[in-house]
Amino acid sequence: MINTGITALESYVPEQIVTNEDLSHIVDTNDEWISSRTGIKRRHLSTGENTSQFCINTGKKLLDKTGTNAEDIDLIIVATITPDYATPSVSCQVQKALGCTNAFAFDISAACSGFVYSLSIADKYIRSGLYQKVLVFGAETLSKIVNWTDRNTCVLFGDGGGGALLEPVEKGGIVAEDLHARGDDEALTGRHHVVENMVCTHIEKGYPYLIMDGRAIFNFATKVVPKSVNKILEKTGFTLDDIKYIVPHQANSRIIDIVARKLKTDIDKFYINVEEYGNTSAASIPIALSEMSEKGLLKKGDRIIITGFGAGLTWGSMLIEW
Ligand code: ACO
């Protein structure tokens, strides 16, 4: 049987760091409010690099690190809600820049669950036996769609990207998944594209930024994430004692605290880096995994659960064995 393994992890975030104190000069906020409510201290913001650049830089590092020839990549998937263009896709831009001439490529849109969804898709291609090397990225330039005069949202988000090389492995790899969507909830929307043409009589006003009902998203996340993690445990027969780390989407440390409490497990089991990057949507899980790999935290045989939640609404978890 073919399993899908994550054989390398990398990330790239823009250099420019913006602190809570910096934000207090553009909106009515302060470090105490942001830190105590979200755990966020800093975020990296793009000074011009777009989403494709985060993936290209990450992809170069992945190919170099693993000694993989660009022509041997079969598929490129990018999870993002902030592509450079409506078309071409970010994944096609990455294909061109990296020289992955034999790869097919597409983007997926599942907001903060995007990386988990993308790993799930890549897993099916690899398990089929038809494709061997897949690059999966989660990358966002959320600063493009944040209203920098709205203190309710602008303090929460950041820019960056991360990615993984996926290949067939004999043991371990992606063991189980639990994916969901609930399209009837609009507590979080971003950049509404309205219809405007010469036959359109219904004039609707678009809004180019993120709009969020923070409380509703908070309640949604703290409800569905523990359920989804438990579903993974139920499916696999493991308990939380068998899991080395839970790597959640990094939206807010208070959400993670409540999830830990509901799962009756120690907060130390959770990898948290929201303090440094803010919420980077689809990029947050691969950035966290890449950091963990860099720090030597992911050892052979370790089992981890990644869990994403966000706009759509979408959510999902996955158990991966190293
Ligand atoms: N600085 C200072 N005050 C602020 C700020 C700010 N940046 N933002 C809001 N406030 C004010 C509000 O105006 C409100 O004032 P009022 O009482 O006078 O009306 C007060 O602070 C309290 O606002 P609440 O919304 O009640 O604050 P809450 O404790 O719920 O925290 C927060 C807000 C942090 C947004 C919280 O709801 C949250 O974390 N929600 C989840 C958000 C999230 O994670 N979203 C993304 C997930 S999906 C994805 O990643 C795309």
Short mmCIF file of all heavy atoms in Angstrom, two decimals, residues 27-30 33-34 37-38 81 111-112 151-153 155-157 188 210 212-215 217-218 249 251-252 254-255 279 281 309-311, ligand 1:
data_model
loop_
_atom_site.label_atom_id
_atom_site.label_comp_id
_atom_site.label_asym_id
_atom_site.label_seq_id
_atom_site.Cartn_x
_atom_site.Cartn_y
_atom_site.Cartn_z
N VAL A 27 -4.37 53.02 13.97
CA VAL A 27 -5.76 52.85 14.44
C VAL A 27 -5.77 52.97 15.97
O VAL A 27 -4.72 52.86 16.61
CB VAL A 27 -6.39 51.49 14.03
CG1 VAL A 27 -6.75 51.45 12.56
CG2 VAL A 27 -5.52 50.31 14.43
N ASP A 28 -6.98 53.14 16.51
CA ASP A 28 -7.12 53.32 17.96
C ASP A 28 -7.02 51.96 18.65
O ASP A 28 -8.03 51.28 18.87
CB ASP A 28 -8.48 53.99 18.24
CG ASP A 28 -8.67 54.23 19.73
OD1 ASP A 28 -7.68 54.12 20.49
OD2 ASP A 28 -9.83 54.52 20.12
N THR A 29 -5.79 51.53 18.92
CA THR A 29 -5.57 50.23 19.57
C THR A 29 -4.31 50.33 20.42
O THR A 29 -3.66 51.38 20.47
CB THR A 29 -5.45 49.11 18.52
OG1 THR A 29 -5.49 47.85 19.17
CG2 THR A 29 -4.16 49.21 17.69
N ASN A 30 -3.97 49.24 21.09
CA ASN A 30 -2.73 49.23 21.87
C ASN A 30 -2.25 47.80 22.07
O ASN A 30 -3.02 46.85 21.88
CB ASN A 30 -2.94 49.93 23.23
CG ASN A 30 -4.10 49.30 23.97
OD1 ASN A 30 -4.03 48.17 24.43
ND2 ASN A 30 -5.23 50.03 24.04
N TRP A 33 -4.34 45.48 24.47
CA TRP A 33 -5.60 44.95 23.93
C TRP A 33 -5.31 43.78 22.98
O TRP A 33 -5.90 42.71 23.11
CB TRP A 33 -6.39 46.03 23.17
CG TRP A 33 -7.82 45.62 22.90
CD1 TRP A 33 -8.92 45.94 23.64
CD2 TRP A 33 -8.30 44.78 21.83
NE1 TRP A 33 -10.05 45.36 23.10
CE2 TRP A 33 -9.70 44.64 21.99
CE3 TRP A 33 -7.69 44.13 20.76
CZ2 TRP A 33 -10.49 43.89 21.12
CZ3 TRP A 33 -8.48 43.38 19.89
CH2 TRP A 33 -9.86 43.27 20.08
N ILE A 34 -4.39 44.01 22.06
CA ILE A 34 -4.12 42.98 21.03
C ILE A 34 -3.51 41.73 21.68
O ILE A 34 -3.96 40.60 21.44
CB ILE A 34 -3.19 43.51 19.92
CG1 ILE A 34 -3.78 44.77 19.27
CG2 ILE A 34 -2.97 42.44 18.85
CD1 ILE A 34 -2.85 45.49 18.30
N ARG A 37 -6.04 39.77 24.00
CA ARG A 37 -7.18 39.15 23.32
C ARG A 37 -6.79 38.13 22.26
O ARG A 37 -7.59 37.27 21.90
CB ARG A 37 -8.04 40.23 22.68
CG ARG A 37 -8.80 41.04 23.73
CD ARG A 37 -10.13 41.39 23.19
NE ARG A 37 -11.11 42.00 24.05
CZ ARG A 37 -10.97 42.92 24.96
NH1 ARG A 37 -9.79 43.36 25.29
NH2 ARG A 37 -12.01 43.42 25.58
N THR A 38 -5.56 38.23 21.74
CA THR A 38 -5.20 37.36 20.60
C THR A 38 -3.88 36.62 20.77
O THR A 38 -3.64 35.64 20.06
CB THR A 38 -5.07 38.19 19.30
OG1 THR A 38 -3.90 39.01 19.40
CG2 THR A 38 -6.28 39.07 19.06
N ILE A 81 -6.26 32.53 -0.46
CA ILE A 81 -7.43 33.37 -0.77
C ILE A 81 -6.95 34.73 -1.29
O ILE A 81 -7.76 35.61 -1.53
CB ILE A 81 -8.38 33.55 0.44
CG1 ILE A 81 -7.62 34.10 1.66
CG2 ILE A 81 -9.09 32.25 0.77
CD1 ILE A 81 -8.54 34.61 2.78
N ALA A 111 -9.62 29.14 2.54
CA ALA A 111 -9.21 30.04 3.62
C ALA A 111 -8.21 29.34 4.57
O ALA A 111 -7.28 28.70 4.11
CB ALA A 111 -10.42 30.60 4.34
N CYS A 112 -8.47 29.45 5.86
CA CYS A 112 -7.49 28.97 6.84
C CYS A 112 -7.40 27.45 6.90
O CYS A 112 -6.50 26.90 7.53
CB CYS A 112 -7.82 29.53 8.21
SG CYS A 112 -8.07 31.29 8.13
N ARG A 151 -9.97 48.66 13.06
CA ARG A 151 -9.18 48.05 14.15
C ARG A 151 -9.69 46.66 14.54
O ARG A 151 -8.98 45.88 15.17
CB ARG A 151 -9.18 48.96 15.38
CG ARG A 151 -10.50 49.05 16.08
CD ARG A 151 -10.40 49.86 17.34
NE ARG A 151 -11.68 49.91 18.04
CZ ARG A 151 -11.86 50.42 19.24
NH1 ARG A 151 -10.83 50.97 19.86
NH2 ARG A 151 -13.05 50.43 19.79
N ASN A 152 -10.96 46.37 14.17
CA ASN A 152 -11.51 45.05 14.49
C ASN A 152 -10.82 43.93 13.72
O ASN A 152 -10.83 42.79 14.14
CB ASN A 152 -13.01 45.00 14.15
CG ASN A 152 -13.81 45.87 15.07
OD1 ASN A 152 -13.87 45.60 16.27
ND2 ASN A 152 -14.38 46.93 14.53
N THR A 153 -10.27 44.24 12.57
CA THR A 153 -9.64 43.19 11.76
C THR A 153 -8.15 43.42 11.51
O THR A 153 -7.38 42.46 11.48
CB THR A 153 -10.33 43.06 10.39
OG1 THR A 153 -10.41 44.36 9.78
CG2 THR A 153 -11.71 42.46 10.51
N VAL A 155 -5.60 44.34 13.06
CA VAL A 155 -4.56 43.94 14.02
C VAL A 155 -4.32 42.42 14.00
O VAL A 155 -3.37 41.94 14.61
CB VAL A 155 -4.94 44.38 15.46
CG1 VAL A 155 -5.13 45.88 15.52
CG2 VAL A 155 -6.19 43.65 15.95
N LEU A 156 -5.19 41.69 13.32
CA LEU A 156 -5.18 40.23 13.45
C LEU A 156 -4.31 39.49 12.42
O LEU A 156 -3.88 38.37 12.67
CB LEU A 156 -6.61 39.66 13.33
CG LEU A 156 -7.65 40.21 14.31
CD1 LEU A 156 -9.03 39.65 13.97
CD2 LEU A 156 -7.27 39.85 15.74
N PHE A 157 -4.07 40.12 11.26
CA PHE A 157 -3.55 39.34 10.14
C PHE A 157 -2.11 39.66 9.76
O PHE A 157 -1.60 40.74 10.06
CB PHE A 157 -4.47 39.51 8.94
CG PHE A 157 -5.88 39.04 9.22
CD1 PHE A 157 -6.90 39.93 9.54
CD2 PHE A 157 -6.17 37.69 9.20
CE1 PHE A 157 -8.17 39.49 9.82
CE2 PHE A 157 -7.45 37.22 9.49
CZ PHE A 157 -8.46 38.13 9.79
N LEU A 188 -17.47 35.48 8.13
CA LEU A 188 -16.17 35.96 7.66
C LEU A 188 -16.16 35.95 6.14
O LEU A 188 -16.27 34.89 5.52
CB LEU A 188 -15.06 35.04 8.21
CG LEU A 188 -13.62 35.36 7.87
CD1 LEU A 188 -13.25 36.80 8.20
CD2 LEU A 188 -12.70 34.40 8.61
N LEU A 210 -11.70 42.33 4.09
CA LEU A 210 -12.24 41.30 4.99
C LEU A 210 -13.27 41.91 5.94
O LEU A 210 -13.05 43.00 6.46
CB LEU A 210 -11.11 40.74 5.85
CG LEU A 210 -10.20 39.65 5.28
CD1 LEU A 210 -9.04 39.40 6.23
CD2 LEU A 210 -10.99 38.36 5.08
N MET A 212 -15.45 40.60 9.38
CA MET A 212 -15.53 39.45 10.29
C MET A 212 -16.37 39.75 11.52
O MET A 212 -16.25 40.81 12.12
CB MET A 212 -14.12 39.07 10.73
CG MET A 212 -14.09 37.85 11.63
SD MET A 212 -12.41 37.36 12.04
CE MET A 212 -11.92 38.72 13.07
N ASP A 213 -17.22 38.78 11.86
CA ASP A 213 -17.89 38.80 13.16
C ASP A 213 -16.98 37.97 14.09
O ASP A 213 -17.08 36.74 14.13
CB ASP A 213 -19.29 38.18 13.01
CG ASP A 213 -20.02 38.10 14.34
OD1 ASP A 213 -19.37 38.25 15.40
OD2 ASP A 213 -21.24 37.87 14.32
N GLY A 214 -16.08 38.67 14.78
CA GLY A 214 -15.04 38.01 15.57
C GLY A 214 -15.58 37.02 16.58
O GLY A 214 -15.09 35.90 16.71
N ARG A 215 -16.64 37.43 17.30
CA ARG A 215 -17.25 36.55 18.31
C ARG A 215 -17.77 35.26 17.69
O ARG A 215 -17.57 34.16 18.23
CB ARG A 215 -18.43 37.26 18.96
CG ARG A 215 -18.12 38.07 20.17
CD ARG A 215 -17.61 37.22 21.32
NE ARG A 215 -16.87 38.09 22.23
CZ ARG A 215 -17.46 38.87 23.14
NH1 ARG A 215 -18.75 38.84 23.30
NH2 ARG A 215 -16.72 39.64 23.89
N ILE A 217 -16.87 33.82 14.92
CA ILE A 217 -15.77 32.96 14.47
C ILE A 217 -15.10 32.28 15.67
O ILE A 217 -14.76 31.10 15.64
CB ILE A 217 -14.72 33.78 13.67
CG1 ILE A 217 -15.32 34.27 12.36
CG2 ILE A 217 -13.46 32.97 13.40
CD1 ILE A 217 -15.63 33.19 11.34
N PHE A 218 -14.97 33.04 16.75
CA PHE A 218 -14.39 32.51 17.99
C PHE A 218 -15.23 31.31 18.48
O PHE A 218 -14.70 30.23 18.76
CB PHE A 218 -14.38 33.61 19.05
CG PHE A 218 -13.51 33.33 20.22
CD1 PHE A 218 -12.23 33.84 20.28
CD2 PHE A 218 -13.97 32.56 21.28
CE1 PHE A 218 -11.41 33.59 21.37
CE2 PHE A 218 -13.16 32.30 22.37
CZ PHE A 218 -11.88 32.81 22.42
N HIS A 249 -4.38 25.91 13.27
CA HIS A 249 -4.32 27.18 12.56
C HIS A 249 -4.09 28.26 13.60
O HIS A 249 -4.74 28.29 14.65
CB HIS A 249 -5.64 27.42 11.81
CG HIS A 249 -5.81 28.82 11.36
ND1 HIS A 249 -4.83 29.49 10.67
CD2 HIS A 249 -6.82 29.71 11.52
CE1 HIS A 249 -5.24 30.72 10.41
NE2 HIS A 249 -6.45 30.88 10.93
N ALA A 251 -4.77 31.45 14.71
CA ALA A 251 -5.63 32.64 14.60
C ALA A 251 -5.56 33.46 15.87
O ALA A 251 -5.53 34.68 15.83
CB ALA A 251 -7.07 32.23 14.34
N ASN A 252 -5.50 32.76 17.00
CA ASN A 252 -5.72 33.45 18.25
C ASN A 252 -5.37 32.50 19.40
O ASN A 252 -5.88 31.38 19.45
CB ASN A 252 -7.21 33.80 18.28
CG ASN A 252 -7.62 34.54 19.50
OD1 ASN A 252 -7.23 34.19 20.61
ND2 ASN A 252 -8.43 35.56 19.30
N ARG A 254 -6.17 32.56 22.45
CA ARG A 254 -7.30 32.25 23.36
C ARG A 254 -8.15 31.11 22.80
O ARG A 254 -8.70 30.32 23.56
CB ARG A 254 -8.17 33.49 23.57
CG ARG A 254 -7.57 34.48 24.56
CD ARG A 254 -8.61 35.50 24.97
NE ARG A 254 -9.27 36.05 23.80
CZ ARG A 254 -10.45 36.65 23.81
NH1 ARG A 254 -11.12 36.77 24.93
NH2 ARG A 254 -10.96 37.15 22.71
N ILE A 255 -8.28 31.06 21.47
CA ILE A 255 -9.02 29.95 20.86
C ILE A 255 -8.28 28.64 21.19
O ILE A 255 -8.89 27.64 21.60
CB ILE A 255 -9.11 30.13 19.32
CG1 ILE A 255 -10.04 31.30 18.97
CG2 ILE A 255 -9.59 28.84 18.64
CD1 ILE A 255 -10.17 31.60 17.47
N ASN A 279 -2.33 36.08 12.22
CA ASN A 279 -3.09 35.06 11.49
C ASN A 279 -2.73 35.16 10.00
O ASN A 279 -3.04 36.16 9.36
CB ASN A 279 -4.58 35.34 11.72
CG ASN A 279 -5.48 34.37 10.97
OD1 ASN A 279 -5.04 33.66 10.07
ND2 ASN A 279 -6.75 34.37 11.34
N SER A 281 -3.73 32.87 7.73
CA SER A 281 -4.70 32.02 7.02
C SER A 281 -4.04 30.72 6.53
O SER A 281 -3.44 30.02 7.33
CB SER A 281 -5.34 32.83 5.88
OG SER A 281 -6.43 32.12 5.33
N PHE A 309 -9.22 25.93 10.55
CA PHE A 309 -10.62 26.40 10.61
C PHE A 309 -10.65 27.82 10.08
O PHE A 309 -9.70 28.59 10.28
CB PHE A 309 -11.13 26.37 12.06
CG PHE A 309 -10.25 27.13 13.01
CD1 PHE A 309 -10.45 28.49 13.25
CD2 PHE A 309 -9.20 26.51 13.66
CE1 PHE A 309 -9.63 29.21 14.11
CE2 PHE A 309 -8.35 27.23 14.52
CZ PHE A 309 -8.57 28.57 14.74
N GLY A 310 -11.73 28.17 9.40
CA GLY A 310 -11.78 29.54 8.91
C GLY A 310 -12.95 29.81 7.99
O GLY A 310 -13.99 29.12 8.04
N ALA A 311 -12.75 30.81 7.14
CA ALA A 311 -13.83 31.30 6.31
C ALA A 311 -14.37 30.20 5.40
O ALA A 311 -13.68 29.25 5.06
CB ALA A 311 -13.36 32.49 5.49
N1 ACO B 1 -8.04 47.61 19.77
C1 ACO B 1 -8.77 48.12 20.80
N2 ACO B 1 -10.09 47.87 20.92
C2 ACO B 1 -10.67 47.10 19.98
C3 ACO B 1 -9.96 46.57 18.90
C4 ACO B 1 -8.59 46.87 18.82
N3 ACO B 1 -7.81 46.39 17.82
N4 ACO B 1 -10.81 45.85 18.14
C5 ACO B 1 -12.01 45.90 18.72
N5 ACO B 1 -11.93 46.67 19.85
C6 ACO B 1 -12.99 47.00 20.77
C7 ACO B 1 -14.34 46.82 20.17
O1 ACO B 1 -14.71 47.97 19.44
C8 ACO B 1 -15.20 46.65 21.41
O2 ACO B 1 -15.45 47.91 21.95
P1 ACO B 1 -16.90 48.27 22.55
O3 ACO B 1 -17.12 47.28 23.65
O4 ACO B 1 -16.74 49.67 22.98
O5 ACO B 1 -17.85 48.08 21.40
C9 ACO B 1 -14.26 45.93 22.41
O6 ACO B 1 -12.95 46.12 21.88
C10 ACO B 1 -14.54 44.46 22.55
O7 ACO B 1 -14.70 43.90 21.28
P2 ACO B 1 -15.07 42.38 21.13
O8 ACO B 1 -15.30 42.09 19.70
O9 ACO B 1 -16.15 42.02 22.11
O10 ACO B 1 -13.74 41.68 21.64
P3 ACO B 1 -13.46 40.17 21.79
O11 ACO B 1 -13.04 39.91 23.18
O12 ACO B 1 -14.51 39.29 21.20
O13 ACO B 1 -12.17 39.99 20.88
C11 ACO B 1 -11.47 39.25 18.71
C12 ACO B 1 -12.23 40.29 19.49
C13 ACO B 1 -10.01 39.23 19.14
C14 ACO B 1 -11.57 39.56 17.23
C15 ACO B 1 -12.09 37.86 19.02
O14 ACO B 1 -13.47 37.90 18.81
C16 ACO B 1 -11.48 36.80 18.19
O15 ACO B 1 -10.34 36.45 18.38
N6 ACO B 1 -12.26 36.20 17.27
C17 ACO B 1 -11.76 35.21 16.37
C18 ACO B 1 -11.15 35.90 15.23
C19 ACO B 1 -10.40 34.99 14.36
O16 ACO B 1 -9.62 34.21 14.83
N7 ACO B 1 -10.66 35.12 13.08
C20 ACO B 1 -10.01 34.46 12.07
C21 ACO B 1 -10.31 33.01 12.01
S1 ACO B 1 -10.58 32.51 10.41
C22 ACO B 1 -9.31 33.01 9.53
O17 ACO B 1 -8.21 32.82 9.98
C23 ACO B 1 -9.48 33.73 8.23
#
